[in-house]
Amino acid sequence: MCGVIGILGNSDVFKDLYQGLLSIQHRGQDSAGIITYDGRFHTKKGNGLVRDIFTPESAGRLRGRVGIGHTRYPTIGGGRGEDAQPFQVNSPFGIIMAHNGNVINYKELKKELFEKHHRLLDSDNDVEVILNVFAVELASERARDLEPRHVFKAVDGVYRKVKGSYSVVAYIAEQGMLAFRDPYGIKPLVFGIRADGLQPSYAFASESVALNIMGFSQIENVAAGEVVFLDRSRTLHRKKVADCPHSPCLFEWVYFARPDSFIDNVNVYLCRLELGRLLAEEIRKENLKVDVVVPVPDSARDAAIEIARALNLPYREALVKNRYIGRTFIMPAEDKRKSSVRQKLNPITSEFKGKKVLLVDDSIVRGNTSRAIVELVRECGAEKVYFASYSPPLRFPCVYGIDMQTRTEFVARNATPDQVARKIGADKVIYQTLENLKKAVRSGNPKISHFCAACFDGVYPTGDVTAEMLKEIEAERKTAHDAQLELNI
Ligand code: SF4
């Protein structure tokens, strides 16, 4: 999971890119980068948070009314500074590119690019593969000045070769800015307009919240398999180049996206309320006696409020989060994850003592975090601890860009909810059904007919995920985890 922003503006875009990246920092806290263009490219990338990488000096140096920004959470590759996006090639024209997603035939394409096209890829970042495949396709058009048809054809070439999920923003020097979503539209991508000059400014972003914060309106989705191209004169061209069923990632609504964002026209906040309402129906069937509903902050808050309302129970924010500690989900080593829960969450003991507590979380992944939270609540003297997850059991690796790619890591793999409850030390675990998760999203946009739900049901929408590939990706992840661990020691 990463965040991407591209702006074609009327004055220096650095400030907007910086503000926009801050608003999607939750999509990746590992590294960030910005490249701007004013006749030449200006680059700044590094490891860490947006506010730490960019300084007032960056504002003076990153000049240009065009730019791309990225905030990264590593999927393929480790967390090295040189793997930070955006990436750049100098031919044809000079192209910069950033993406959100994961290329699953990355190794094969990297090899092919070297052997067939004599292009050496110098990082472990899969956007470099997309960028070079695109550059090869674009160069084969042999155009002096690009027309939309050249760009559409080059992206068609990318679609034919690059497998996986990718929402891409790119700028071709003096030719125009483009954005495209993979044929299944797994990862989100939106664009908007701002009237701030003789011609409007345009911006692309992973989440609508970034466009809101930068003052862009008339927000639209880039469709699955669609290319949006703004040419030299800023005329907007759109073409649906691939025609596969749009299958957006269900986890965006569960956890990744900010509640104030719209993903494929579905407001994340309203969707989480609906998830709470639907989960309350499942909880009611269990006939549990509950004294208090407590969310695991922050993502579970909206659903938990709705569960408490629907079940007519008190709602208490009795786990207090220290916001200055990184996401435990992202921390690689198990012992780190464990101790980080204790540093991150502190209980208000009086809200738990002698009570039957219903904890609500967005999901249960490996179970370590959930187990640590249950332990914490028991230590406060809770009589019973029930654990409700407003997403279904996670059982299969995500190959599309989320770091939960090792099958053996899932606590729900080959386990019933009661077995999961025993593993995390809860008295009962109640999951959302997959049917209800889809229903909640469709309540915001009934037109979405397909989803990527692969981490729940093992059905990969791109259809080209082999057992061999899963093994390779798992091995790759393990190496990346180990490398990250070394960096963190
Ligand atoms: S496998 Fe899960 S997390 Fe990955 S893209 Fe699909 S729904 Fe999203």
Side-chain angles (χ1 to χ4, degrees), residues 186-187 248-252 256 397-402 404 452-456 460:
I186 295 171
K187 299 294 168 189
C249 164
L250 271 171
F251 227 74
E252 287 287 343
F256 300 141
C398 171
V399 299
Y400 300 125
I402 314 305
M404 47 181 186
C452 176
C455 49
F456 305 115
Y460 295 89

Side-chain angles (χ1 to χ4, degrees), residues 17-88:
L17 284 172
Y18 180 75
Q19 293 295 342
L21 286 180
L22 284 178
S23 74
I24 54 168
Q25 180 77 82
H26 60 284
R27 298 190 70 86
Q29 295 137 11
D30 189 70
S31 61
I34 287 178
I35 302 183
T36 57
Y37 178 80
D38 67 351
R40 53 164 294 196
F41 290 119
H42 305 283
T43 306
K44 171 108 194 205
K45 304 192 218 183
N47 279 335
L49 298 175
V50 172
R51 64 164 189 241
D52 299 325
I53 295 167
F54 302 102
T55 58
E57 182 270 328
S58 315
R61 204 172 59 71
L62 296 170
R63 307 305 298 257
R65 56 182 191 87
V66 186
I68 291 179
H70 187 266
T71 177
R72 176 170 198 249
Y73 164 57
T75 49
I76 277 182
R80 303 179 305 161
E82 61 265 43
D83 287 338
Q85 300 190 36
F87 272 69
Q88 178 185 342

Side-chain angles (χ1 to χ4, degrees), residues 85-252:
Q85 300 190 36
F87 272 69
Q88 178 185 342
V89 287
N90 61 8
S91 170
F93 304 103
I95 310 171
I96 52 172
M97 183 180 277
H99 92 318
N100 169 31
N102 199 39
V103 175
I104 56 183
N105 58 340
Y106 159 82
K107 279 195 174 160
E108 186 186 313
L109 288 173
K110 191 171 176 174
K111 192 162 171 261
E112 186 185 312
L113 282 161
F114 185 71
E115 287 175 358
K116 211 166 147 193
H117 304 286
H118 308 145
R119 285 175 175 258
L120 175 70
L121 272 52
D122 207 22
S123 77
D124 286 327
N125 195 311
D126 51 348
V127 78
E128 208 186 3
V129 161
I130 307 174
L131 173 57
N132 278 275
V133 170
F134 178 71
V136 167
E137 295 289 330
L138 202 61
S140 72
E141 295 296 306
R142 299 185 186 285
R144 273 190 62 166
D145 283 316
L146 291 178
E147 290 172 26
R149 65 189 166 92
H150 300 124
V151 174
F152 296 149
K153 197 153 169 249
V155 178
D156 188 35
V158 171
Y159 285 164
R160 277 185 281 107
K161 291 208 162 109
V162 182
K163 311 289 175 211
S165 75
Y166 42 92
S167 282
V168 175
V169 179
Y171 175 70
I172 311 166
E174 307 296 337
Q175 302 296 316
M177 181 168 267
L178 72 144
F180 54 94
R181 246 168 127 179
D182 68 75
Y184 295 86
I186 295 171
K187 299 294 168 189
L189 192 61
V190 286
F191 70 102
I193 298 173
R194 189 174 67 192
D196 56 6
L198 286 177
Q199 286 181 301
S201 294
Y202 289 88
F204 297 91
S206 295
E207 286 187 35
S208 59
V209 65
L211 298 184
N212 299 147
I213 278 163
M214 297 186 296
F216 286 79
S217 56
Q218 298 176 47
I219 295 169
E220 287 189 43
N221 294 296
V222 177
E226 184 187 35
V227 188
V228 178
F229 178 54
L230 291 154
D231 68 14
R232 288 179 296 281
S233 60
R234 273 191 209 195
T235 308
L236 183 82
H237 307 269
R238 301 179 72 165
K239 188 174 180 189
K240 190 112 158 74
V241 174
D243 197 17
C244 298
H246 178 205
S247 311
C249 164
L250 271 171
F251 227 74
E252 287 287 343

